[in-house]
């Protein structure tokens, strides 16, 4: 009987496994259908960098002495001093992915090549059926991630030349003298555009970068903005009314979903050097304020119909390749079907979490279903990010163990998200 069964071994569940490895109090095992650890391998573009500092790794924020922290990885790889000499704070996605794969190789109880097929509840425990057999667990943690989001109007055209961005590094592509359309104005779209400018897949005839956003907007990395990515703010956010939560998530969009300044600078510098200084034909077309509405086969390629919200006009462009940098969406995995009648889902069919990242369900008082990367609406914009990964893992483990296995206490906040009672004035009374 396991104390915890983890479903999926992505970064978030890997962090929980890494911290469980620091204590011998709980029996655990994690399952994944992949042959080995892999973090969005289709998105590991050569010029893609992290938006999160490397110290916000699997464990360091909670257990800085862990043998699977990023600094331990550098030492083990014999690159510690050269890394320091690079003077970089945001490493490449490729290196961070390699770090996590390295950490996974150091941990026990990670069952790769063993996907979970179904989970049933049997009175006081879960029965997890995998491709290899059955396991029993008192509690489970869902960490199978999100699914690529493909707008309904594009699904009929999916194929070798119309695909989601998460597949791009797994394809053999040749953009030479082709018309390429990238749909999506976030970091992924920017990374693909930057690599296309550098002719990673050959030099296109035309490149169109389509975005609904009013411009190519930078990530908000200001000092005080980073306070949104702290445990104190996350716990304060959880207590807010639902309307306030929705307002805050919308207002903070660029704190988590903008493009790094360095990436934008590289793109702009390329445009200046090649089209202004070198006098090349302008083959790159930046198209903000456009919503791609329809995709139809046309002349051996595709006609992309867009709506220009700036001047309220319809526009059509031709493309040979269409890359959908349209993000990811939450979908209940198939293995949860037997448990679905027991779950207290939200109006839109999503999981509802309590403050301990615990799914609300019929038998919550006896057995816990934890979920990671499922609490944007309940815990705020830090939830889908790596920033608070170690803190959240420790919070889940502390709740599971029923005690403070890890010390998560903090010093005072610089920002008073709510005014402490001791500083609030006494209620004034009017003398009669």
């Amino acid at each position: 009987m396991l104390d915890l069964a983890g479903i999926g071994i992505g970064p978030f569940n890997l962090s929980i496994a890494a911290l469980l490895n620091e204590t011998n109090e709980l029996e655990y095992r994690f399952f994944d259908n992949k042959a080995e650890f892999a973090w969005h391998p289709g998105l590991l573009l050569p010029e893609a960098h992290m938006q999160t500092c490397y110290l916000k790794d699997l464990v360091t924020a909670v257990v800085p002495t862990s043998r699977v922290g990023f600094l331990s990885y550098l030492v083990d790889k014999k690159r510690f001093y050269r890394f320091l000499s690079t003077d970089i704070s945001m490493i490449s996605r490729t290196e961070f992915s390699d770090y996590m794969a390295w950490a996974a190789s150091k941990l026990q109880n990670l069952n790769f090549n063993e996907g979970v097929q179904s989970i049933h509840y049997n009175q006081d425990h879960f029965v997890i059926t995998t491709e290899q057999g059955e396991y029993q667990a008192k509690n489970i943690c869902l960490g199978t991630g999100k699914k690529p989001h493909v707008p309904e109007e594009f699904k009929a055209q999916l194929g070798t030349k119309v695909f989601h961005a998460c597949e791009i590094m797994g394809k053999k592509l040749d953009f030479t003298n082709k018309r390429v359309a990238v749909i999506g104005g976030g970091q992924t779209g920017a990374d693909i555009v930057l690599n296309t400018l550098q002719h990673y897949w050959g030099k296109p005839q035309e490149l169109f970068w389509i975005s609904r956003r009013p411009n190519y907007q930078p990530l908000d990395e200001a000092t005080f903005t980073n306070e949104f990515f702290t445990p104190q703010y996350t716990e304060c956010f959880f207590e807010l009314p639902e309307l306030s939560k929705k307002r805050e998530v919308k207002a903070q969009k660029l704190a988590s979903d903008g493009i790094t300044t360095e990436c934008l600078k590289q793109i702009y510098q390329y445009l200046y050097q090649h089209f202004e200084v070198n006098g090349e034909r302008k083959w790159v077309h930046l198209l903000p304020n456009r919503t791609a509405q329809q995709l139809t086969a046309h002349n051996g390629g595709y006609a992309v119909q867009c709506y220009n919200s700036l001047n309220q006009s319809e526009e059509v462009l031709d493309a040979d390749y269409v890359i959908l940098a349209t993000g990811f969406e939450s979908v209940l995995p198939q293995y949860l079907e037997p448990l679905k009648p027991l779950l207290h889902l939200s109006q839109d069919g999503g999981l509802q979490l309590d403050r301990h990242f615990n799914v609300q369900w019929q038998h919550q008082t006896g057995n816990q279903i934890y979920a990671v990367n499922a609490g944007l609406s309940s815990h705020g914009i830090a939830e889908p990010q790596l920033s608070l990964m170690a803190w959240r893992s420790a919070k889940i483990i502390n709740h599971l163990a029923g005690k403070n296995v890890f010390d998560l206490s903090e010093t005072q906040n610089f920002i008073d998200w709510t005014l402490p009672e001791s500083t609030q004035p006494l209620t004034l009374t009017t003398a009669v």
Side-chain angles (χ1 to χ4, degrees), residues 30 52 68 84 97 107 134 242 275 323 384 388 418:
F30 287 72
T52 304
V68 292
L84 294 181
S97 178
L107 300 176
E134 284 191 353
E242 290 304 312
F275 303 139
I323 304 164
L388 292 179
T418 57

Side-chain angles (χ1 to χ4, degrees), residues 186-202:
Q187 184 67 54
T188 299
D191 288 334
I192 292 172
V193 166
L194 180 58
N195 280 274
T196 303
L197 293 178
Q198 295 172 346
H199 308 167
Y200 183 76
W201 300 281

Side-chain angles (χ1 to χ4, degrees), residues 110-167:
L110 302 183
N111 286 28
F112 290 103
N113 271 326
E114 190 167 359
V116 171
Q117 297 175 325
S118 66
I119 303 177
H120 290 80
Y121 184 67
N122 184 10
Q123 295 183 343
D124 62 351
H125 67 276
F126 299 97
V127 178
I128 299 107
T129 303
T130 75
E131 296 163 344
Q132 309 296 332
E134 284 191 353
Y135 298 81
Q136 298 179 57
K138 299 174 185 176
N139 310 281
I140 57 177
C141 185
L142 312 179
T144 44
K146 299 185 177 184
K147 302 296 183 184
H149 171 64
V150 176
E152 195 65 36
E153 54 269 26
F154 301 147
K155 289 181 178 178
Q157 301 297 342
L158 289 176
T160 57
K161 294 188 176 181
V162 178
F163 52 88
H164 192 274
C166 69
E167 303 175 41

